[in-house]
Structures are given as C-alpha cells and as structure tokens.
Amino acid sequence: MVKMDDIVSLCKRRGFIWQGSDVYGGMAGTWDFGPLGVSLKKKVMDAWWKYWVEDREDMYGVDAAIIMNPQVWQASGHTETFNDPLVECKECHNRFRADKIAEGVSEKVTTEEFKALGVKCPNCGKENWSEIKQFNGMFRTNVGVDPDNIAYLRPETAQGIFTNYKNVVDTIYPDLPFGLAQQGKAFRNEISPRDFIFRSREFNQMEIEYFVDPETWEEHFDKLLAGCHDFLEKMGLKPESIHELDVAAEDRAHYSKRTIDIEFDYPIGREELMGIAYRTDFDLGNIQRVSGKNMEYIVKGGGKRFIPHVIEPSMGVERLLMAILCTAYTEDEVNGEKRVLLRLSEDLTPYRFCVSPLLKNKPELVAKAQEVYDMLRKKYGNVTWDDSGNIGKRYRKQDEIGTPKCIVVDFDTLEDGTVTVRDRDTTEQIRVKPEEL
Ligand code: GAP
C-alpha cells in the first residue's frame, strides 16, 4: 500500500504540489500547484467537463461569481447551519473538531456525548475539555469601503448554480430533466485542515445540480450515481478501491433527504471522495421564498408546473487528484534498482513524450532531436525536452512524472532515421520512425 509521505514527497520533488506561501513558512490549509500539478489538475477538470457537459445533451455549464449576495447564504441555511463542532483542550489550548478526534460520532455530537467518550487531547494527552461550540465554516470578508458590508467566500459552488437556474430557464428553456454544471474554487475555514490536499481551506469543486420532476428523482439519482462510478473508473481508479456509504439521516447535510458518499481507500484510510445528494426543492424553494421570484418550471406543451427537485453529484477536485495519484503511484525494480513510476493514463500525464539526444555534446544528435521535438510538439503540444544527466537518470525522472514514452535520438537515428521509444510501464524499447509516433 502506498504511503502518504511518498505521494507528498513526489509531488514536492517534481513540481506537482507545494505548500501554499511556502517561501514565507507556509499557510495552513492552502496548496499551490506547480507546472506539472496544474497540468494534471486541468486535464482532470477538462475530462470531467467533457464527460458530464460536452458529451451529454441534457447538461449545461455556468460560471458564477465567487462572492455572492449574502442573502444567498441566509436562504441556503449556511449562515445558520454550516457549522463544525469546535472543542478546546483547557490544558494546552489547542482547538480541534470534536467529531474528528472522537471515534464514531457525527458533526452533531453534543458536549455531554463527547465528554463521555474519554477522548484524550491529541496534542498533550490530557482530558480536560471545554464545551463544544458551533464554529461557522464560511470565510467572511467585507465588500467596498463599508466594514459592515459583509460578504462570504462561497463554501460550495452549488449556490452559484441555483441562483442562475431561473436565468437558464428564461433564456435556454431546456427540457426537464436537465443539469447545470460548474467548476471552481470553494472556501471553508476548516478547524483542522489535514492530510495534504484532502482537507484544505481553499479547494476546487465540480458540481452538478440536476433538475427533475419530483416523481422521478429515484431513477435519476441511480443513473447519476452509476455515471459517477463510470467517470471515476475512467480516471483510472480501481472499482475495488471505491465504496458507497449510504449516509444516515442524522449525518446528512441539512438540505439532503438522501446522500450516498463515494469513498476511496486512501493511504490515510477509507474517506469521502465525493457525494451525491437528493436536495429536493430545498434550494429553489428557499430562493423563491427569499427573493420573491417564481422558481417553477412549466413543462413544455402546457404541462404541469412545479419547482423541480434536485440531485447533486458533488466532487472535490483535490480529493480526486489525490485518489488518482495514489492509484498511479507504483514502486518496482529495474535491473536490481528500486524505481518509482506514476502509471497515469496517457490522457492525464503532464507530458505525452520526452525527447532527448543520447549525448548532449554531439551537435548532430542535438539538432536531430530538436527536429523530432519540434515535430511532436506541433502534433501533440505536451512534449518535454530533457538532456540533463545520463539517459538512465532521465528515464527515472520521466517515470516519476508519468511520461508514457521517452524518445531518444542516437547514432543509429543519423543512419536509418529511427529513434528509440522506451515505454514507461514495461521499460521495453523499440525503434520507430518519428513520423509514426
Ligand atoms: N454542494 C455540496 C457540497 O459542497 P460537501 O460534501 O460539503 O457537499 C462536496 O462537499 C465535496 O467537496 C466533498 O465530497 C469533497 O470531495 C470536497 N470537499 C469538501 N470539503 C473539502 C475540503 N475542506 N478540502 C478539500 N475538498 C473538500
């Protein structure tokens, strides 16, 4: 089983992911993506967009502002209920999320229940706890010059979809059922961000609000759930590492009548990768009540009118990236030496090919390699060049970042025009003409 430290160290070493504001000692719960990380993240997000929006006739995209009218969060219930149970150790004054340091309790754990469990402080080992306080997870800011003009950074992208539902119906009038999809940043003032990019204060979500006739919600819930499994497998995750958790009523978010969490076997244990929730007409009903605008959908051809119900598949980009990296990370042995490789699918790897001259100090090899490099870049775009160190070291580096094929221009290339193509997974080498790549 891959260890978390191996993934973190590879990501740092090779320029995938660094601690946010690293140069100033870091900023807890934030992460910066380097050249390779941003490439992987973008490919994953694009694959999701293609799968759920471009390849379907019933899905449309939106891209809403991050800072929204604060009424949004009052109507959605986030101002009141988007809380985590905060508890403080009265000995060392460290603060924790009570449900994360006690076994088998939900976010709704009470002080009495928590204290009865005999939990020891993870920092000092003592058992002297404060009362549990509800800590609201939204980041507050103020807009313009008035310090009382409070706004929040969105804690979920979903509300930017709900607030545009009417705009979409009024302009495009899609047939029901239809879905609206959005990707983008979400912010949560997590009490204890942890486990690398798993729980951060700033992260990306990919969410769909799928609007249905209330009588048909179960059928659409099942179809979307099946789509989620299919997408995750397309991202390279193994079915045996993916599990469904039917979330009990007392553990569900305030808006949900049914939630299935899709969990993944991470090195930190089995944890939530994404969720799919039946949000009923909770959000559109609230918007109608607070804004006074009618959120009903009129079925085309003079049919019935009602507020649609909503099924919401919601995925955190970073949690998916972590699952992809953990699945792809492999250690094996080549010629008696330990090797690390990322078995990413060709569609996700930061580079498709790496081109090298066998020797950097032979101008005729460098010139020919440059020609091959230019040709492949024109054809595929994501091709890298490496003439550092010896060829073995180059292979190790490309294996670690997942490059599927390394192309080497050597003296035979000058004779017969063929290059060596070395495969990342098998390490086998074949000779082909560059035009055939
Ligand atoms: N709109 C529904 C919603 O936001 P959620 O279960 O709170 O539901 C959805 O979040 C997904 O967002 C989670 O399944 C997870 O993938 C991701 N997520 C939530 N909090 C996160 C955090 N602090 N850091 C990274 N990802 C997070």
Side-chain angles (χ1 to χ4, degrees), residues 156 158 188 190 197-200 203 205 207 255 272-275 279 312 314-316 319:
E156 60 169 11
R188 296 185 186 182
E190 295 284 353
I197 53 174
F198 182 83
R199 187 175 300 285
S200 340
F203 55 97
Q205 287 186 321
E207 299 201 292
Y255 49 72
E272 177 187 332
L273 161 57
M274 63 163 296
R279 285 182 87 130
E312 177 197 63
S314 171
M315 170 123 62
R319 290 196 188 176

Side-chain angles (χ1 to χ4, degrees), residues 34-245:
L36 303 192
V38 80
S39 167
L40 175 62
K41 180 163 77 166
K42 192 165 174 345
K43 289 189 171 92
V44 168
M45 291 175 80
D46 288 350
W48 183 92
W49 193 261
K50 180 162 175 5
Y51 184 89
W52 288 107
V53 183
E54 290 174 0
D55 288 354
R56 291 179 63 128
E57 290 180 338
D58 57 345
M59 296 275 192
Y60 305 84
V62 294
D63 186 17
I66 288 177
I67 299 174
M68 304 178 76
N69 186 315
Q71 277 189 304
V72 168
W73 308 111
Q74 273 143 25
S76 69
H78 281 78
T79 322
E80 272 288 297
T81 59
F82 193 64
N83 298 326
D84 286 329
L86 173 69
V87 71
E88 182 174 330
C89 169
K90 291 208 253 181
E91 302 291 330
C92 69
H93 300 291
N94 266 277
R95 291 167 175 182
F96 304 94
R97 227 179 107 166
D99 59 324
K100 295 292 168 202
I101 55 170
E103 289 266 319
V105 297
S106 79
E107 291 163 13
K108 292 169 189 146
V109 60
T110 63
T111 302
E112 292 65 42
E113 283 162 356
F114 180 77
K115 287 192 175 169
L117 292 169
V119 179
K120 302 263 184 291
C121 171
N123 183 52
C124 69
K126 307 246 172 66
E127 191 191 325
N128 185 8
W129 295 107
S130 70
E131 300 289 296
I132 288 179
K133 277 196 208 128
Q134 293 306 316
F135 175 75
N136 192 281
M138 286 196 292
F139 276 104
R140 277 158 66 114
T141 186
N142 61 296
V143 176
V145 291
D146 181 355
D148 296 330
N149 197 0
I150 296 294
Y152 301 92
L153 302 187
R154 65 182 180 201
E156 60 169 11
T157 58
Q159 293 304 323
I161 300 180
F162 288 123
T163 47
N164 280 297
Y165 153 83
K166 190 170 162 47
N167 285 336
V168 172
V169 172
D170 288 350
T171 50
I172 297 175
Y173 199 9
D175 286 335
L176 210 65
F178 71 91
L180 296 181
Q182 178 168 226
Q183 299 182 327
K185 288 267 173 155
F187 303 83
R188 296 185 186 182
N189 197 1
E190 295 284 353
I191 295 169
S192 341
R194 64 178 173 94
D195 297 319
F196 192 37
I197 53 174
F198 182 83
R199 187 175 300 285
S200 340
R201 293 188 167 129
E202 178 178 339
F203 55 97
N204 287 277
Q205 287 186 321
M206 306 189 282
E207 299 201 292
I208 294 164
E209 306 306 328
Y210 198 73
F211 300 93
V212 303
D213 181 327
E215 283 171 21
T216 62
W217 77 268
E218 276 162 310
E219 167 200 335
H220 293 298
F221 190 100
D222 291 345
K223 279 191 190 155
L224 289 166
L225 179 58
C228 293
H229 281 281
D230 184 48
F231 175 74
L232 293 174
E233 285 174 36
K234 285 200 161 55
M235 291 294 94
L237 307 195
K238 299 191 182 102
E240 61 271 24
S241 312
I242 298 171
H243 312 274
E244 285 184 9
L245 175 75

Side-chain angles (χ1 to χ4, degrees), residues 268-316:
I268 51 171
R270 186 172 294 179
E271 295 278 0
E272 177 187 332
L273 161 57
M274 63 163 296
I276 172 163
Y278 171 39
R279 285 182 87 130
T280 67
D281 58 355
F282 177 85
D283 300 273
L284 291 184
N286 283 336
I287 293 176
Q288 176 165 292
R289 182 174 48 77
V290 176
S291 72
K293 309 241 166 71
N294 191 340
M295 294 294 133
E296 284 176 327
Y297 182 91
I298 304 167
V299 176
K300 286 179 189 167
K304 53 182 183 174
R305 52 195 305 159
F306 51 84
I307 298 184
H309 280 211
V310 170
I311 318 292
E312 177 197 63
S314 171
M315 170 123 62

